[in-house]
Amino acid sequence: MLIRSSIEATIGWDFGPDSICEDAHLALVFSSRYKGRSDWFSGRSYGASPSNMRDFLKQRERWSWGLVGLAFNKTLPRHSRALLMYSVTTWVIGPFQHVAVVLAAGALMGDINTSPVSPWILPLWAITMGYAVWMYWEGLKINASVSANGRRLWWEPPVVLLLMPFFAIWEACGSFKGLLRYLRGTENQFVVIAKPA
């Protein structure tokens, strides 16, 4: 994100103790004050990922917790909150959409056919699933390109594809935990996690 320092100074970063996703908060305030004044530019930002699975879960929990809080923040425009609510809802109910949960529910109900009620949903499902696979595939390619040897090992792509259901449930659990923390009214905490240098 690039922003003019004068605009950044006008908006500021201190949104109070209830805001733990200050970057998203700043973006929502900016978009409401400066309508049509933002743009997209093609570029990449290389950051450090969480150093372990526990920290990854904590990071996703904080993101979800903060974004749910923004979706219910009445100081922000209603239309921005509605779009955010839609996106966050699909994220936080992730555990209930996981293939293992759907298959288990079908088995418990005595019906192993978990196909959609209408075949018209299948193309949308295929596009969504294809996009998820592409994101992991591209992520692996980009990570490998900036690593020491600059290339993927032969076994990494198939392992990433095989582990996608595990990655999906792990991320979904983090986002669902964030929703629960928001609903419980837990005091906001900006969780700092260790990242490799």
PDB file of all heavy atoms in Angstrom, residues 112-129:
ATOM      1  N   ILE A 112     -24.386 -40.712   1.595  1.00  0.00           N
ATOM      2  CA  ILE A 112     -23.001 -40.405   1.224  1.00  0.00           C
ATOM      3  C   ILE A 112     -22.911 -39.543  -0.034  1.00  0.00           C
ATOM      4  O   ILE A 112     -21.850 -39.115  -0.428  1.00  0.00           O
ATOM      5  CB  ILE A 112     -22.155 -41.684   1.057  1.00  0.00           C
ATOM      6  CG1 ILE A 112     -22.787 -42.614   0.028  1.00  0.00           C
ATOM      7  CG2 ILE A 112     -21.958 -42.373   2.380  1.00  0.00           C
ATOM      8  CD1 ILE A 112     -21.899 -43.782  -0.339  1.00  0.00           C
ATOM      9  N   ASN A 113     -24.047 -39.272  -0.667  1.00  0.00           N
ATOM     10  CA  ASN A 113     -24.057 -38.398  -1.830  1.00  0.00           C
ATOM     11  C   ASN A 113     -24.140 -36.956  -1.342  1.00  0.00           C
ATOM     12  O   ASN A 113     -25.199 -36.480  -0.943  1.00  0.00           O
ATOM     13  CB  ASN A 113     -25.240 -38.727  -2.740  1.00  0.00           C
ATOM     14  CG  ASN A 113     -25.273 -37.836  -3.968  1.00  0.00           C
ATOM     15  OD1 ASN A 113     -24.359 -37.051  -4.199  1.00  0.00           O
ATOM     16  ND2 ASN A 113     -26.326 -37.949  -4.748  1.00  0.00           N
ATOM     17  N   THR A 114     -23.027 -36.269  -1.362  1.00  0.00           N
ATOM     18  CA  THR A 114     -22.991 -34.875  -0.896  1.00  0.00           C
ATOM     19  C   THR A 114     -22.931 -33.892  -2.064  1.00  0.00           C
ATOM     20  O   THR A 114     -22.488 -32.766  -1.912  1.00  0.00           O
ATOM     21  CB  THR A 114     -21.785 -34.656   0.037  1.00  0.00           C
ATOM     22  OG1 THR A 114     -20.599 -35.026  -0.664  1.00  0.00           O
ATOM     23  CG2 THR A 114     -21.932 -35.459   1.315  1.00  0.00           C
ATOM     24  N   SER A 115     -23.398 -34.324  -3.220  1.00  0.00           N
ATOM     25  CA  SER A 115     -23.423 -33.435  -4.387  1.00  0.00           C
ATOM     26  C   SER A 115     -24.402 -32.300  -4.154  1.00  0.00           C
ATOM     27  O   SER A 115     -25.373 -32.447  -3.408  1.00  0.00           O
ATOM     28  CB  SER A 115     -23.854 -34.213  -5.635  1.00  0.00           C
ATOM     29  OG  SER A 115     -22.936 -35.240  -5.905  1.00  0.00           O
ATOM     30  N   PRO A 116     -24.185 -31.159  -4.823  1.00  0.00           N
ATOM     31  CA  PRO A 116     -25.131 -30.043  -4.677  1.00  0.00           C
ATOM     32  C   PRO A 116     -26.533 -30.435  -5.141  1.00  0.00           C
ATOM     33  O   PRO A 116     -26.690 -31.336  -5.973  1.00  0.00           O
ATOM     34  CB  PRO A 116     -24.554 -28.958  -5.585  1.00  0.00           C
ATOM     35  CG  PRO A 116     -23.148 -29.338  -5.824  1.00  0.00           C
ATOM     36  CD  PRO A 116     -23.063 -30.819  -5.691  1.00  0.00           C
ATOM     37  N   VAL A 117     -27.529 -29.753  -4.598  1.00  0.00           N
ATOM     38  CA  VAL A 117     -28.915 -30.024  -4.970  1.00  0.00           C
ATOM     39  C   VAL A 117     -29.123 -29.749  -6.452  1.00  0.00           C
ATOM     40  O   VAL A 117     -29.824 -30.479  -7.135  1.00  0.00           O
ATOM     41  CB  VAL A 117     -29.873 -29.153  -4.120  1.00  0.00           C
ATOM     42  CG1 VAL A 117     -31.305 -29.320  -4.583  1.00  0.00           C
ATOM     43  CG2 VAL A 117     -29.734 -29.497  -2.659  1.00  0.00           C
ATOM     44  N   SER A 118     -28.473 -28.709  -6.951  1.00  0.00           N
ATOM     45  CA  SER A 118     -28.608 -28.341  -8.357  1.00  0.00           C
ATOM     46  C   SER A 118     -27.263 -28.484  -9.068  1.00  0.00           C
ATOM     47  O   SER A 118     -26.244 -28.026  -8.552  1.00  0.00           O
ATOM     48  CB  SER A 118     -29.092 -26.898  -8.465  1.00  0.00           C
ATOM     49  OG  SER A 118     -29.009 -26.457  -9.807  1.00  0.00           O
ATOM     50  N   PRO A 119     -27.265 -29.091 -10.253  1.00  0.00           N
ATOM     51  CA  PRO A 119     -26.005 -29.211 -11.002  1.00  0.00           C
ATOM     52  C   PRO A 119     -25.466 -27.871 -11.484  1.00  0.00           C
ATOM     53  O   PRO A 119     -24.309 -27.764 -11.861  1.00  0.00           O
ATOM     54  CB  PRO A 119     -26.368 -30.116 -12.179  1.00  0.00           C
ATOM     55  CG  PRO A 119     -27.838 -30.033 -12.313  1.00  0.00           C
ATOM     56  CD  PRO A 119     -28.377 -29.732 -10.956  1.00  0.00           C
ATOM     57  N   TRP A 120     -26.298 -26.813 -11.448  1.00  0.00           N
ATOM     58  CA  TRP A 120     -25.851 -25.493 -11.880  1.00  0.00           C
ATOM     59  C   TRP A 120     -24.811 -24.908 -10.931  1.00  0.00           C
ATOM     60  O   TRP A 120     -24.098 -23.981 -11.285  1.00  0.00           O
ATOM     61  CB  TRP A 120     -27.038 -24.544 -12.006  1.00  0.00           C
ATOM     62  CG  TRP A 120     -27.984 -24.981 -13.076  1.00  0.00           C
ATOM     63  CD1 TRP A 120     -29.185 -25.591 -12.890  1.00  0.00           C
ATOM     64  CD2 TRP A 120     -27.799 -24.877 -14.488  1.00  0.00           C
ATOM     65  NE1 TRP A 120     -29.769 -25.873 -14.102  1.00  0.00           N
ATOM     66  CE2 TRP A 120     -28.930 -25.438 -15.105  1.00  0.00           C
ATOM     67  CE3 TRP A 120     -26.783 -24.366 -15.294  1.00  0.00           C
ATOM     68  CZ2 TRP A 120     -29.065 -25.494 -16.483  1.00  0.00           C
ATOM     69  CZ3 TRP A 120     -26.924 -24.427 -16.662  1.00  0.00           C
ATOM     70  CH2 TRP A 120     -28.054 -24.978 -17.243  1.00  0.00           C
ATOM     71  N   ILE A 121     -24.713 -25.441  -9.719  1.00  0.00           N
ATOM     72  CA  ILE A 121     -23.737 -24.948  -8.747  1.00  0.00           C
ATOM     73  C   ILE A 121     -22.340 -25.494  -9.042  1.00  0.00           C
ATOM     74  O   ILE A 121     -21.336 -24.876  -8.685  1.00  0.00           O
ATOM     75  CB  ILE A 121     -24.182 -25.326  -7.309  1.00  0.00           C
ATOM     76  CG1 ILE A 121     -25.481 -24.594  -6.986  1.00  0.00           C
ATOM     77  CG2 ILE A 121     -23.122 -25.009  -6.281  1.00  0.00           C
ATOM     78  CD1 ILE A 121     -26.104 -24.975  -5.682  1.00  0.00           C
ATOM     79  N   LEU A 122     -22.265 -26.628  -9.729  1.00  0.00           N
ATOM     80  CA  LEU A 122     -20.970 -27.276  -9.977  1.00  0.00           C
ATOM     81  C   LEU A 122     -19.952 -26.395 -10.692  1.00  0.00           C
ATOM     82  O   LEU A 122     -18.791 -26.370 -10.285  1.00  0.00           O
ATOM     83  CB  LEU A 122     -21.169 -28.595 -10.723  1.00  0.00           C
ATOM     84  CG  LEU A 122     -21.774 -29.717  -9.881  1.00  0.00           C
ATOM     85  CD1 LEU A 122     -22.053 -30.944 -10.740  1.00  0.00           C
ATOM     86  CD2 LEU A 122     -20.875 -30.083  -8.723  1.00  0.00           C
ATOM     87  N   PRO A 123     -20.322 -25.653 -11.742  1.00  0.00           N
ATOM     88  CA  PRO A 123     -19.307 -24.784 -12.375  1.00  0.00           C
ATOM     89  C   PRO A 123     -18.742 -23.742 -11.408  1.00  0.00           C
ATOM     90  O   PRO A 123     -17.538 -23.483 -11.394  1.00  0.00           O
ATOM     91  CB  PRO A 123     -20.054 -24.123 -13.540  1.00  0.00           C
ATOM     92  CG  PRO A 123     -21.187 -25.045 -13.837  1.00  0.00           C
ATOM     93  CD  PRO A 123     -21.573 -25.653 -12.516  1.00  0.00           C
ATOM     94  N   LEU A 124     -19.602 -23.135 -10.596  1.00  0.00           N
ATOM     95  CA  LEU A 124     -19.144 -22.152  -9.620  1.00  0.00           C
ATOM     96  C   LEU A 124     -18.210 -22.815  -8.606  1.00  0.00           C
ATOM     97  O   LEU A 124     -17.158 -22.270  -8.259  1.00  0.00           O
ATOM     98  CB  LEU A 124     -20.339 -21.518  -8.909  1.00  0.00           C
ATOM     99  CG  LEU A 124     -20.017 -20.463  -7.870  1.00  0.00           C
ATOM    100  CD1 LEU A 124     -19.277 -19.289  -8.495  1.00  0.00           C
ATOM    101  CD2 LEU A 124     -21.293 -19.989  -7.195  1.00  0.00           C
ATOM    102  N   TRP A 125     -18.577 -24.001  -8.149  1.00  0.00           N
ATOM    103  CA  TRP A 125     -17.732 -24.737  -7.203  1.00  0.00           C
ATOM    104  C   TRP A 125     -16.382 -25.043  -7.846  1.00  0.00           C
ATOM    105  O   TRP A 125     -15.332 -24.887  -7.219  1.00  0.00           O
ATOM    106  CB  TRP A 125     -18.420 -26.033  -6.772  1.00  0.00           C
ATOM    107  CG  TRP A 125     -17.555 -26.857  -5.881  1.00  0.00           C
ATOM    108  CD1 TRP A 125     -17.451 -26.757  -4.516  1.00  0.00           C
ATOM    109  CD2 TRP A 125     -16.642 -27.884  -6.275  1.00  0.00           C
ATOM    110  NE1 TRP A 125     -16.537 -27.659  -4.039  1.00  0.00           N
ATOM    111  CE2 TRP A 125     -16.015 -28.367  -5.103  1.00  0.00           C
ATOM    112  CE3 TRP A 125     -16.284 -28.452  -7.494  1.00  0.00           C
ATOM    113  CZ2 TRP A 125     -15.066 -29.381  -5.116  1.00  0.00           C
ATOM    114  CZ3 TRP A 125     -15.337 -29.454  -7.514  1.00  0.00           C
ATOM    115  CH2 TRP A 125     -14.746 -29.910  -6.340  1.00  0.00           C
ATOM    116  N   ALA A 126     -16.390 -25.502  -9.115  1.00  0.00           N
ATOM    117  CA  ALA A 126     -15.142 -25.851  -9.804  1.00  0.00           C
ATOM    118  C   ALA A 126     -14.237 -24.637  -9.968  1.00  0.00           C
ATOM    119  O   ALA A 126     -13.017 -24.731  -9.776  1.00  0.00           O
ATOM    120  CB  ALA A 126     -15.453 -26.472 -11.164  1.00  0.00           C
ATOM    121  N   ILE A 127     -14.819 -23.484 -10.294  1.00  0.00           N
ATOM    122  CA  ILE A 127     -14.022 -22.260 -10.434  1.00  0.00           C
ATOM    123  C   ILE A 127     -13.412 -21.874  -9.091  1.00  0.00           C
ATOM    124  O   ILE A 127     -12.224 -21.535  -8.998  1.00  0.00           O
ATOM    125  CB  ILE A 127     -14.885 -21.113 -11.004  1.00  0.00           C
ATOM    126  CG1 ILE A 127     -15.217 -21.389 -12.465  1.00  0.00           C
ATOM    127  CG2 ILE A 127     -14.176 -19.770 -10.860  1.00  0.00           C
ATOM    128  CD1 ILE A 127     -16.284 -20.466 -13.039  1.00  0.00           C
ATOM    129  N   THR A 128     -14.211 -21.936  -8.042  1.00  0.00           N
ATOM    130  CA  THR A 128     -13.733 -21.586  -6.704  1.00  0.00           C
ATOM    131  C   THR A 128     -12.610 -22.520  -6.269  1.00  0.00           C
ATOM    132  O   THR A 128     -11.574 -22.091  -5.760  1.00  0.00           O
ATOM    133  CB  THR A 128     -14.892 -21.638  -5.687  1.00  0.00           C
ATOM    134  OG1 THR A 128     -15.927 -20.777  -6.140  1.00  0.00           O
ATOM    135  CG2 THR A 128     -14.444 -21.211  -4.313  1.00  0.00           C
ATOM    136  N   MET A 129     -12.805 -23.811  -6.476  1.00  0.00           N
ATOM    137  CA  MET A 129     -11.783 -24.791  -6.096  1.00  0.00           C
ATOM    138  C   MET A 129     -10.527 -24.620  -6.949  1.00  0.00           C
ATOM    139  O   MET A 129      -9.401 -24.696  -6.445  1.00  0.00           O
ATOM    140  CB  MET A 129     -12.341 -26.211  -6.238  1.00  0.00           C
ATOM    141  CG  MET A 129     -11.459 -27.265  -5.676  1.00  0.00           C
ATOM    142  SD  MET A 129     -11.275 -27.018  -3.894  1.00  0.00           S
ATOM    143  CE  MET A 129     -10.011 -28.188  -3.542  1.00  0.00           C
TER     144      MET A 129
END
